[in-house]
Amino acid sequence: CNMPMIGYGTYQRKGDDLQSSIIHAIEVAGYRHIDTALMYRNHQDVAGALAKVSVSREEIFVTSKIPQNFLGAERCQQAIEKSL
């Protein structure tokens, strides 16, 4: 399965608003790629939305970005663990 080139963005969205918009994007609009970033501080809301959709998790790609201050092997690993 190939990752879709266009992802549903989550910048500046949180809480129920974000969760309902992700659910709509996946179930109604057909998105299979959700794009977020550690600095958005909304990973828990993204996870909450993914737990509620009827589409299997294996069909959905989630991408995240690591801020510049987390570059380097140890800090990068910390950022990855935080985002999961």
Side-chain angles (χ1 to χ4, degrees), residues 3-4 7-8 10 33-37 40 43 61-65:
M3 184 174 83
Y8 184 77
T10 63
H33 175 190
I34 306 300
D35 180 62
T36 187
Y40 300 171
H43 283 83
F61 292 85
V62 178
T63 55
S64 189
K65 295 169 274 311

Side-chain angles (χ1 to χ4, degrees), residues 13-84:
R13 314 269 311 267
K14 292 183 181 181
D16 292 338
D17 175 56
L18 175 60
Q19 286 194 26
S20 63
S21 68
I22 289 174
I23 292 167
H24 181 81
I26 292 171
E27 296 194 347
V28 178
Y31 278 87
R32 295 297 182 265
H33 175 190
I34 306 300
D35 180 62
T36 187
L38 189 61
M39 66 184 228
Y40 300 171
R41 299 174 189 233
N42 62 8
H43 283 83
Q44 288 182 329
D45 294 323
V46 171
L50 295 177
K52 295 175 184 175
V53 297
S54 60
V55 175
S56 74
R57 179 62 183 89
E58 289 78 23
E59 294 181 46
I60 301 171
F61 292 85
V62 178
T63 55
S64 189
K65 295 169 274 311
I66 297 171
Q68 286 184 321
N69 62 333
F70 279 86
L71 297 181
E74 188 175 315
R75 296 275 292 157
C76 185
Q77 184 65 38
Q78 290 172 350
I80 292 168
E81 289 173 10
K82 254 183 142 171
S83 69
L84 295 175

